[in-house]
Amino acid sequence: MKQFLTLDDLSNFDAQVQLAKDIKANPYQFEEVGKRKTLGLLFFNPSLRTRLSTQKAGRLLGMDVMVMNFSNEAWAIEYEDQTIMEGLRSEHVKEAAQVVSQYCDVVGIRAFATLTDKEKDESEQVLQKFIKYASVPILNMESATAHPLQALADALTLKELELPKKPKVVLTWAPHPKALPHAVGNSFTRMMGHIDADFVIANPKGYDLDPRITKGIPVVHNQAEALKEADVVYAKNWSSYDSYGQILRTDNEWMLTPGKMKQTNNAAFMHCLPIRRNVVVSDGVLDSTHSKVIEQANNRTFAAAAVLKTLLS
Ligand code: CP
């Protein structure tokens, strides 16, 4: 594997989830794999889990890890070719990617969607320009359209749950005061394509995800109907895809509550975090034994270690 931009880069999804599970059981078994190798993590947006778990993953493999926060530590990067750089951007990605490649053996990049320009977001400009000029593998730590490390960790969490042979898994939109990207919803949906499950997406009208990603998957606009008999409920907000980046509703009708969870089959509750309490989900759900959010965050380390091991191999 030369890069990890989406789950499609994995040659064997099941083997990758199993590798993450094996590393979780025996975290230091590959500590020689990354010896004398350097992992560089470039953050253009905030992070808690991705930043710490990917550092930890690199160290489990024996790697040195360097982290840079581009929002306040680095020169502002220019991505356009043949531009006259007389504005605020001081460094071109052409030099930056080549320079970073000299210091690192793998480079992780987090660069969210702008949510203002769909075409530009879907071009994944930051990732693609780094790939163009870098000479080392690039690891997607959440881009405009995908968060594959989260999805792989979620697959591990699902694998660890005691679920029926073909569980009902519901990805439900939930309220949020800010416009959020589609990356987590996209990658969770893609990931569910690898799992034998009755998978349903529930979201209000106007909030359907990219139809190229949801093709063949039931998308319903009635949350109560979707939650009936669910074995897993994965909550996530995303802004409108059609009315790109817009917030179309501000009510709390779609917030997950203990009353709604009662309609499920004692479903496990999942969310990638961070989560706004009593906006996305009420305390009663998040603090219940059904909540798997902390274990999901724990599994980020082992999913990242599995991907790094594959990239280094
Ligand atoms: N789930 C996730 O990616 O968390 P962070 O944004 O804190 O990294």
Side-chain angles (χ1 to χ4, degrees):
M1 185 164 69
K2 291 199 171 69
Q3 60 190 27
F4 183 65
L5 305 186
T6 74
L7 294 175
D8 291 343
D9 288 313
L10 300 174
S11 60
N12 187 330
F13 174 84
D14 291 336
Q16 201 67 32
V17 179
Q18 186 58 46
L19 176 60
K21 193 166 189 264
D22 291 345
I23 294 174
K24 187 173 183 178
N26 185 2
Y28 292 99
Q29 61 181 300
F30 297 118
E31 63 186 338
E32 296 296 316
V33 169
K35 200 171 169 187
R36 298 188 187 162
K37 305 265 186 203
T38 300
L39 173 62
L41 304 179
L42 315 184
F43 284 88
F44 292 86
N45 303 97
S47 170
L48 188 159
R49 280 142 291 273
T50 306
R51 180 168 173 156
L52 298 184
S53 66
T54 313
Q55 284 188 69
K56 183 164 179 184
R59 293 199 176 114
L60 288 181
L61 300 179
M63 301 182 84
D64 289 324
V65 187
M66 301 193 294
V67 183
M68 187 152 214
N69 186 351
F70 274 71
S71 61
N72 60 7
E73 292 172 351
W75 303 111
I77 305 266
E78 175 62 58
Y79 296 95
E80 301 297 338
D81 291 326
Q82 295 167 351
T83 183
I84 298 169
M85 289 173 56
E86 56 187 3
L88 294 174
R89 296 170 186 263
S90 309
E91 171 138 35
H92 200 279
V93 65
K94 195 168 185 174
E95 286 76 49
Q98 291 182 79
V99 168
V100 169
S101 297
Q102 293 178 310
Y103 306 147
C104 302
D105 298 278
V106 178
V107 174
I109 296 176
R110 164 164 283 201
F112 288 173
T114 62
L115 295 179
T116 54
D117 184 336
K118 185 190 275 190
E119 203 178 323
K120 195 168 183 182
D121 285 346
E122 292 189 342
S123 77
E124 297 281 18
Q125 186 190 52
V126 179
L127 272 188
Q128 290 302 334
K129 283 292 171 85
F130 266 92
I131 287 166
K132 182 173 177 184
Y133 297 117
S135 53
V136 296
I138 299 293
L139 170 70
N140 182 355
M141 299 195 298
E142 188 172 344
S143 65
T145 64
H147 196 356
L149 286 175
Q150 180 67 52
L152 199 61
D154 293 339
L156 175 56
T157 307
L158 287 174
K159 193 179 174 84
E160 292 173 334
L161 292 173
E162 285 177 19
L163 294 172
K165 196 164 183 304
K166 188 169 181 175
K168 180 175 180 185
V169 178
V170 179
L171 170 63
T172 178
W173 182 93
H176 200 283
K178 289 176 70 179
L180 297 188
H182 309 94
V184 171
N186 288 347
S187 288
F188 187 79
T189 301
R190 291 277 199 218
M191 184 275 286
M192 286 305 300
H194 294 274
I195 295 198
D196 188 17
D198 172 13
F199 179 50
V200 179
I201 302 174
N203 55 255
K205 283 186 180 152
Y207 279 100
D208 289 1
L209 288 166
D210 181 348
R212 292 168 296 184
I213 289 174
T214 59
K215 194 171 175 205
I217 296 163
V219 177
V220 300
H221 301 130
N222 183 330
Q223 191 187 44
E225 200 57 42
L227 292 180
K228 271 186 203 160
E229 298 301 318
D231 298 295
V232 177
V233 175
Y234 197 112
K236 183 72 185 86
N237 173 271
W238 55 84
S239 54
S240 174
Y241 179 75
D242 281 343
S243 305
Y244 193 64
Q246 300 299 305
I247 296 175
L248 305 181
R249 53 188 294 173
T250 53
D251 61 274
N252 67 357
E253 204 181 307
W254 281 65
M255 182 172 80
L256 272 297
T257 62
K260 288 183 183 178
M261 293 300 283
K262 277 207 179 88
Q263 306 308 311
T264 69
N265 185 25
N266 281 321
F269 176 80
M270 295 177 69
H271 188 282
C272 61
L273 303 181
I275 195 164
R276 290 187 183 231
R277 283 175 172 264
N278 304 308
V279 175
V280 173
V281 59
S282 60
D283 287 340
V285 177
L286 202 53
D287 295 332
S288 77
T289 55
H290 297 295
S291 176
K292 304 299 169 197
V293 298
I294 304 302
E295 203 50 36
Q296 280 176 265
N298 186 30
N299 285 339
R300 292 292 307 275
T301 298
F302 310 109
V307 170
L308 286 171
K309 158 122 189 346
T310 305
L311 282 173
L312 289 170
S313 304

